[in-house]
Amino acid sequence: PQSKSIRCAAGPPLQARQRVAAMTKKDDAAKAAANKADMERRIRAKVSCDKAAYSIQWRLLEGAVDEGTLSVAAQILQPHHYDDVETERALDGQCGNPRCAGKLPKPDGRSRGRYHFSVADKRVYDSEGLRRFCGIECARTSREYAAGLSVTALHLRESE
């Protein structure tokens, strides 16, 4: 007696299709597990990099820091992280430049305009940005430092 396999009009015998479907499910499950593991690895890397940025930001808030600390920070921070450091230092009454140990001058009660005109430098400065610093030189060096920071997130830089 010959066993007949059930044939479908559109393809191979039913048993073969079931085997292919089972293998496909195993492949899909393996791919899903690999994707999940890859996603978890990327999320852990991002969280680790965010923690590193956070800790270096705290270090920059502690007062005047040396050039070594700033060079380490330049490898980790993005411009928006550094802007947060400048703002937090200013809110605490410190000069926004992490290199400087100076305090911000007390407001004299006069209404200041939006722009500051420096005759000595022959430049016009935005006073909103200058209010975070004890002087024009600190503002300039801080802006130069911020301009050298990478806009690419740290966890994406490490994979390059």
Side-chain angles (χ1 to χ4, degrees):
Q2 289 183 344
S3 66
K4 293 184 178 178
S5 61
I6 302 172
R7 290 203 176 258
C8 181
L14 182 61
Q15 296 160 341
R17 284 196 329 220
Q18 288 172 337
R19 278 182 286 182
V20 168
M23 288 190 308
T24 304
K25 285 181 183 177
K26 287 179 185 176
D27 290 343
D28 289 346
K31 286 179 186 177
N35 286 341
K36 183 178 177 182
D38 184 51
M39 185 181 300
E40 184 176 335
R41 180 192 56 79
R42 288 185 294 175
I43 290 171
R44 288 185 188 280
K46 182 181 182 329
V47 168
S48 174
C49 292
D50 288 346
K51 284 181 181 179
Y54 184 73
S55 69
I56 198 73
Q57 281 179 308
W58 272 103
R59 176 63 188 100
L60 295 177
L61 294 175
E62 292 175 354
V65 295
D66 60 6
E67 290 298 320
T69 303
L70 284 173
S71 65
V72 169
Q75 296 170 8
I76 297 171
L77 298 180
Q78 291 177 266
H80 69 89
H81 292 126
Y82 187 71
D83 187 55
D84 292 345
V85 168
E86 288 177 344
T87 302
E88 288 294 325
R89 287 178 60 94
L91 290 172
D92 197 30
Q94 302 177 63
C95 177
N97 186 345
R99 292 180 182 101
C100 181
K103 298 288 182 193
L104 291 180
K106 299 281 185 205
D108 57 8
R110 292 186 304 171
S111 175
R112 291 204 168 125
R114 171 133 171 103
Y115 300 100
H116 170 75
F117 301 95
S118 173
V119 177
D121 295 343
K122 297 180 182 172
R123 295 191 65 179
V124 177
Y125 295 96
D126 182 5
S127 293
E128 296 299 315
L130 287 177
R131 290 188 181 131
R132 294 191 228 171
F133 303 97
C134 63
I136 293 173
E137 186 62 23
C138 279
R140 186 188 61 75
T141 58
S142 187
R143 288 293 100 208
E144 287 173 359
Y145 178 80
L149 298 176
S150 175
V151 295
T152 306
L154 179 62
H155 68 282
L156 298 176
R157 281 184 254 160
E158 289 180 344
S159 65
E160 292 176 349

